[in-house]
Amino acid sequence: MTANPMFEVRSDTVRNLVRIRYLGHVTAAGMKACRAQVETQLSAMRAGFTVLTDLSGLESMDLDCVGHLTKIMDLSRAKGVGTVVRVIPDPSKDIGFKILSIIHYRRGVKIITCDTLAAAERALKAPAK
């Protein structure tokens, strides 16, 4: 990775969880690299997996990231994502996740939005309803 990474992608196969964390200013090139890493991580997930997206370190994201972002959503849906947990501490930095989710996840995917990572971690531990 570079000295100033734009993202981190980690997976936990035991918890069936993919974590995506965006940092600083994210460019289309950075999002393309992120998409490639997410695609690799998704291969180890089982249907019903969870994606945790953390925007707490995000400063801004270029508009031309949308294509790569929606591809990540489409790949996740195709693999069988069950829950998406998002950390969005500042609602003005939602950058369209809410509207893109309606189009790219459709029904059946549970979306949870939290304002802190601690709240997101609690949501991950909460029993399924």
Side-chain angles (χ1 to χ4, degrees):
M1 275 209 179
T2 63
N4 294 312
M6 293 179 211
F7 66 90
E8 294 174 353
V9 178
R10 293 184 296 154
S11 62
D12 181 338
T13 55
V14 173
R15 293 178 68 192
N16 210 25
L17 171 67
V18 175
R19 293 174 178 267
I20 307 168
R21 182 173 166 220
Y22 295 105
L23 305 157
H25 176 75
V26 179
T27 65
M31 185 60 84
K32 181 178 180 181
C34 179
R35 184 185 92 192
Q37 282 192 28
V38 169
E39 190 167 8
T40 298
Q41 301 295 326
L42 288 178
S43 66
M45 296 296 110
R46 301 175 309 281
F49 69 96
T50 299
V51 174
L52 171 68
T53 303
D54 183 358
L55 302 182
S56 57
L58 180 70
E59 292 174 17
S60 61
M61 186 177 285
D62 289 346
L63 186 57
D64 52 357
C65 291
V66 171
H68 299 294
L69 181 60
T70 58
K71 183 66 174 172
I72 289 170
M73 291 177 169
D74 292 342
L75 290 166
S76 297
R77 187 187 72 237
K79 183 65 179 175
V81 64
T83 304
V84 174
V85 179
R86 293 195 181 111
V87 179
I88 305 177
D90 178 356
S92 71
K93 290 189 179 178
D94 177 311
I95 63 170
F97 275 94
K98 216 178 270 188
I99 191 84
L100 292 173
S101 293
I102 293 168
I103 298 165
H104 293 276
Y105 286 136
R106 300 187 183 115
R107 294 184 187 144
V109 177
K110 183 178 180 180
I111 308 288
I112 301 168
T113 302
C114 303
D115 56 358
T116 66
L117 185 55
E121 293 292 346
R122 285 191 300 275
L124 290 174
K125 292 177 184 172
K129 293 182 180 180

